[in-house]
Amino acid sequence: MSHRSTLLALVLALTCGVSAARAEDWPAFGGDHSNRHASSLDAINRDNVSRLRPAWIFQTGQTGYFQAEPVVIDGRMYVSTTHNHVAALDAKTGAVIWTYTHKARTEKIFGPPSNRGVAVSGGLVYEATMDGRVIALDAKTGRLVWDIEAVRPEEGETETAIALAAGLGDKPVQGSSRLGFKMPPLVADGLVIVGVTGAGYGLHVEDAKGGLDGGSVVGIEGGYGRRGWLAAYDARTGEERWRWYVTKQDGWEGDFVEKTDDGLPLHRDIAAEKAAAEKNRDAWKVGGGSLWMTPAYDPDLGLIYLGTGNPAPQNFGLTRPGDNLYTMSLVALDVKTGALRWHFQQVPHETWGYDVASPPFLLDWPGDKGPVKAVAEASKLGWIYVHDRKDGRLLGKSAPLITQKNLFQPPSPEGTVVSPGPLGAVSWHPVSFDARTGLAFAQVRHGAATYTVKTVSGGQGKPDIRYTETSEARGEPAHSTLTAVDLSKGGTIAWSIKAGSRLSGGTLATAGGIVFSGEEDGHLDAHDTRDGKLLWRFQCGAGIGGPPVTYAIDGRQYVAVAAGGSSFTKASGFGTGDALVVFALADQ
């Protein structure tokens, strides 16, 4: 690695407000607390990436839904697998150092048994599990140090939606508001910080292939959901230090706004919502708001930044009148106490599935009087929003990443086609940001959904059942692009390249002029950051499920990625797998 790269890594670390880590490591989710998913390593570059070959492969033995981002510290790699197992590997050879086998306490979990990564700090490996636990393992041996049951997934689960689903006929229905964890923990200020998923999850009607892609999301009126939360645990003992709830007990209805904070009309029936307010004043108790991905952290300000998910009931809003604070928001919390500092609600009273899911990342925004410390988030709506880190003020947003259609038009009995659909533009997949060039690289999904309000008889004198069915809009564009956004020039689109299959897992940018990006058909691709030109690709044998990372040992640079697929790759006809594939230049 060059002297310039080492110096650049130090400068980037200092400007992010985090302690400088070795450039050779990948010590945390996102690379560091800035969540940039970028590296100063440049031994693999646009001139030699064509010589990239597998260096070693680790097969987890747990097929499917392998979405984890590995962590690499001092030559050792730590990775979680499907079903929350953990392995420590020699990052140079792939040799297994130890494994931890997780024994779930319940089978009633939210969604597929995927996990998106661990955190490592102070000699401990931290994982938040799908069965509602936060655990710490000894980094040297894998021994369980502490194990905290944060939530029972089925505890407090409402049976309302399950009972109502019986009125939907003989279509296979799955889904439940069960709480668990997917995100890699954030370790900051002596705390392990994690948030629950499943709070606003809707029922899904399966399609003919047994998957959800092309099937339907069902938002049923009233009484369905859980209250989302983020909590901090003492990194040494596991004792809970604070908990912040997404849904606001006092005033969750907000101001009944008619437009978003950036001026877009929401097409709400405010009069109907206000008329329903008294009857539904306790809706916040089951109000949803999942936390999908790891927060970014600015230690100088003592703030963490996180995105929140959709309110519940999903896709049907009359029984939760109001703005539904603080769902669908980018939020800043005090790291020591969990107190809310500011929030920006992208979609008040949301009914389309536009979770603020992609992890926020830190950057310097070009202001009139010089750079402004900012936080950005790539949204499902199709923009990258940029905010002042201190107060949340909207500094700007990018040009649209997709063609939007009927944005915020409400579901209707005849069916309303809206673009984007609930999978995004940009879903949970991390966006990489290269501070040297000001370019952000996003995996963008282009597609529309049809939102249809339906009514079925409750039978035997019971009230009718109303629900919103969300399905793929046929005849609309459906593809992915790898898109570069120039945040040094106000968010213009630098280039956009259409992918052969749907993109997944997230992106990785390196100082070698490369952006790595995975596809659901199993390809890991390397593109030139200047113009998006495809320079190299490799078939990993299963859909790319997790974000790629890079690290170096003894002067040799590696790139690692999880190839395990997901429920969507299965529905799309691509296989699932269990391989962590690690690459290096063939002639080194």
Side-chain angles (χ1 to χ4, degrees):
M1 185 179 63
S2 67
H3 172 73
R4 177 179 177 275
S5 296
T6 304
L7 179 61
L8 177 61
L10 177 62
V11 170
L12 288 177
L14 292 175
T15 57
C16 289
V18 299
S19 59
R22 298 190 334 147
E24 292 85 357
D25 290 340
W26 191 269
F29 176 81
D32 60 30
H33 290 153
S34 72
N35 267 358
R36 289 178 176 175
H37 280 87
S39 172
S40 61
L41 296 177
D42 57 9
I44 299 170
N45 54 59
R46 58 174 64 98
D47 296 324
N48 61 22
V49 69
S50 62
R51 301 201 302 270
L52 209 58
R53 300 291 187 272
W56 55 266
I57 297 174
F58 171 66
Q59 291 181 288
T60 70
Q62 302 291 321
T63 302
Y65 312 116
F66 188 17
Q67 298 178 332
E69 176 176 310
V71 170
V72 181
I73 298 178
D74 293 332
R76 185 174 288 194
M77 177 183 288
Y78 305 89
V79 63
S80 58
T81 75
T82 301
H83 298 289
N84 295 118
H85 307 322
V86 181
L89 310 170
D90 185 311
K92 185 176 182 178
T93 66
V96 176
I97 299 171
W98 55 256
T99 59
Y100 162 78
T101 301
H102 185 66
K103 297 180 180 179
R105 295 176 185 172
T106 178
E107 294 182 356
K108 293 184 176 182
I109 64 172
F110 158 68
S114 58
N115 180 268
R116 292 174 181 160
V118 299
V120 182
S121 181
L124 295 177
V125 180
Y126 302 99
E127 184 187 34
T129 72
M130 288 302 300
D131 61 323
R133 293 150 63 188
V134 183
I135 63 174
L137 307 172
D138 187 290
K140 291 183 178 180
T141 66
R143 176 181 60 89
L144 185 65
V145 176
W146 53 256
D147 180 347
I148 303 299
E149 185 175 71
V151 63
R152 285 190 176 272
E154 71 276 21
E155 185 177 310
E157 180 184 6
T158 175
E159 299 295 330
T160 302
I162 297 173
L164 291 176
L168 298 179
D170 58 359
K171 295 181 179 179
V173 176
Q174 65 160 304
S176 177
S177 270
R178 295 170 180 156
L179 298 186
F181 298 105
K182 278 187 178 290
M183 71 166 62
L186 168 68
V187 181
D189 201 45
L191 301 171
V192 181
I193 301 170
V194 292
V196 293
T197 58
Y201 192 57
L203 296 179
H204 291 71
V205 179
E206 295 182 352
D207 64 9
K209 297 179 181 179
L212 305 182
D213 193 29
S216 304
V217 177
V218 181
I220 298 178
E221 178 181 17
Y224 179 64
R226 300 285 295 278
R227 195 182 184 198
W229 50 263
L230 183 91
Y233 301 88
D234 188 289
R236 295 172 299 173
T237 67
E239 181 180 356
E240 185 174 320
R241 295 302 186 192
W242 55 256
R243 182 176 295 201
W244 177 77
Y245 285 95
V246 177
T247 59
K248 190 177 185 325
Q249 180 174 352
D250 298 317
W252 109 295
E253 67 277 2
D255 297 323
F256 290 90
V257 297
E258 295 184 356
K259 295 182 178 181
T260 64
D261 282 350
D262 49 334
L264 302 174
L266 289 166
H267 308 291
R268 292 168 63 177
D269 189 342
I270 300 295
E273 288 183 44
K274 288 184 175 180
E278 180 61 26
K279 180 181 177 182
N280 296 282
R281 61 183 178 181
D282 291 334
W284 60 270
K285 294 181 179 179
V286 290
S290 292
L291 290 308
W292 290 105
M293 292 303 291
T294 307
Y297 171 46
D298 184 336
D300 292 337
L301 295 176
L303 296 180
I304 60 174
Y305 306 91
L306 58 140
T308 65
N310 62 267
Q314 185 180 28
N315 300 137
F316 207 106
L318 198 56
T319 54
R320 48 171 172 84
D323 299 341
N324 310 144
L325 302 176
Y326 294 103
T327 64
M328 311 308 296
S329 299
L330 182 65
V331 173
L333 303 180
D334 186 294
V335 69
K336 294 182 182 294
T337 66
L340 179 72
R341 290 286 188 87
W342 58 259
H343 84 283
F344 180 91
Q345 192 170 30
Q346 291 182 7
V347 192
H349 192 73
E350 198 274 344
T351 59
W352 301 271
Y354 295 143
D355 313 71
V356 183
S358 183
F361 59 94
L362 306 185
L363 74 158
D364 290 339
W365 178 256
D368 295 336
K369 298 180 180 180
V372 178
K373 297 299 181 183
V375 56
E377 198 277 332
S379 72
K380 283 189 174 184
L381 295 171
W383 292 287
I384 297 179
Y385 291 85
V386 183
H387 303 266
D388 189 302
R389 288 185 219 170
K390 292 182 179 179
D391 57 18
R393 176 171 53 94
L394 184 64
L395 299 173
K397 66 180 185 180
S398 72
L401 308 182
I402 62 168
T403 300
Q404 293 148 329
K405 180 178 183 179
N406 293 331
L407 195 60
F408 305 139
Q409 289 292 338
S412 62
E414 61 274 14
T416 303
V417 175
V418 180
S419 177
L423 294 180
V426 184
S427 188
W428 67 268
H429 312 284
V431 169
S432 58
F433 175 70
D434 185 349
R436 301 172 309 115
T437 63
L439 292 177
F441 304 97
Q443 295 179 326
V444 182
R445 290 174 173 174
H446 302 249
T450 301
Y451 296 83
T452 307
V453 177
K454 294 189 175 183
T455 303
V456 296
S457 173
Q460 299 179 345
K462 296 180 180 179
D464 290 346
I465 302 167
R466 289 193 300 170
Y467 65 96
T468 298
E469 184 177 88
T470 308
S471 57
E472 182 181 352
R474 306 299 180 181
E476 296 288 332
H479 63 273
S480 286
T481 57
L482 179 64
T483 300
V485 181
D486 194 337
L487 295 180
S488 70
K489 297 180 180 178
T492 58
I493 305 300
W495 50 261
S496 188
I497 304 296
K498 187 175 180 179
S501 68
R502 192 159 59 184
L503 299 178
S504 61
T507 61
L508 165 69
T510 75
I514 301 294
V515 55
F516 291 93
S517 175
E519 298 190 44
E520 287 188 351
D521 70 356
H523 282 101
L524 179 65
D525 303 330
H527 294 261
D528 193 317
T529 57
R530 297 172 299 189
D531 54 15
K533 180 181 178 182
L534 181 64
L535 302 174
W536 169 90
R537 66 194 321 231
F538 185 87
Q539 175 55 255
C540 295
I544 303 301
V549 306
T550 190
Y551 60 95
I553 300 174
D554 298 333
R556 191 183 195 195
Q557 185 179 351
Y558 299 82
V559 175
V561 71
S566 70
S567 59
F568 296 117
T569 58
K570 182 179 178 181
S572 301
F574 300 117
T576 55
D578 70 341
L580 180 73
V581 187
V582 181
F583 301 89
L585 294 176
D587 54 354
Q588 283 190 321

